[in-house]
Amino acid sequence: VAGPVRFCHKMNAMAMNNKPFTVFVEGNIGSGKTTFLEHFRRFEDITLLTEPVEEWRNLKGWNLLDLMYKDTAKWAMTFQSYVSLTMLDMHRRPTPTPVKLMERSLYSARYCFVEHMMRSGTLHPAEFAVLDEWFRFIMNQIQIDADLIVYLKTTPAVVYERIKKRARSEEQCVPLSYIEELHKLHEDWLVNRSHAECPAPVLVIDADLDLSQITEEYKKSEHQILRKAV
Ligand code: DGT
């Protein structure tokens, strides 16, 4: 339960180690990451960092997300490079609260999206090598804190329908096969643990449920996210 007493305890915890309890919210496109973050807006002592999609849609007037979907081979490198920058900015942003909830992370950019582009040949091996070197450099040289990963697990066909319904203009031509491949990559990273780096324990949430039922599912994660910071 949120309240002044718990908040006070948390502030003490913060004062002691000076780092917020940091949670990454991960899951396929359309899995409800933004909705999950919004659920936690009711708690005053949490910083919510939603994904910078709007920045990707407007960098000095350029819609990088659109360019990437329209001509992936040409724009993948540019897009991923900007995604990394905006993600790093989120990881490093000073947080005045004891809990920080972030939508996605540098890890999912690397292990899901860049991995997919490399395997499908969209990225030239040389381009992949540069992105991978950047990723390794950042991981070795810059402190990226992670205490918990919330994995919104979905069925590809379910999120595919959601994506079609929400009709974000850039995503109109996204095929089901892409969503299926991204699903496998999330599972490999967060469930099968096939990469060395899974930076925190993973809490799996059934995110196939529709909006009317999902709140109950989200509530199950509240104590893990709120209590651990005390
Ligand atoms: P939500 O709230 O779960 O529905 O989340 P979305 O679907 O708004 O957010 P997300 O991150 O799954 O995807 C936003 C769009 O940006 C989507 O078209 C996929 C794309 N995207 C996100 N991160 C990356 C990335 O690192 N590389 C590529 N190629 N696309 C990305």
Side-chain angles (χ1 to χ4, degrees), residues 105-138:
S105 62
L106 275 168
Y107 291 94
S108 45
R110 167 65 186 84
Y111 292 139
C112 300
F113 290 94
V114 171
E115 188 73 16
H116 178 266
M117 289 170 161
M118 184 269 287
R119 292 187 193 181
S120 61
T122 304
L123 280 172
H124 188 284
E127 292 175 317
F128 171 72
V130 172
L131 289 173
D132 195 46
E133 283 299 301
W134 265 110
F135 178 75
R136 286 164 194 268
F137 176 83
I138 291 168

Side-chain angles (χ1 to χ4, degrees), residues 27-35 51 53 56 65 68-69 79-80 83 103-104 109 113 117 166 168 171 178:
N28 211 337
I29 302 175
S31 57
K33 296 178 290 297
T34 307
T35 316
E51 197 174 39
V53 182
W56 306 344
L65 184 67
M68 188 273 297
Y69 274 124
F79 180 71
Q80 290 307 147
V83 167
E103 184 172 358
R104 287 203 185 280
F113 290 94
M117 289 170 161
R166 86 174 164 199
R168 194 183 265 160
E171 293 170 349
Y178 179 58

Side-chain angles (χ1 to χ4, degrees), residues 27 46-47 82 99 110 117 121 134 150 154 166 186 201 222-223:
I46 299 188
T47 298
Y82 192 55
V99 182
R110 167 65 186 84
M117 289 170 161
W134 265 110
V150 173
T154 49
R166 86 174 164 199
H186 278 85
E222 281 176 8
H223 74 284

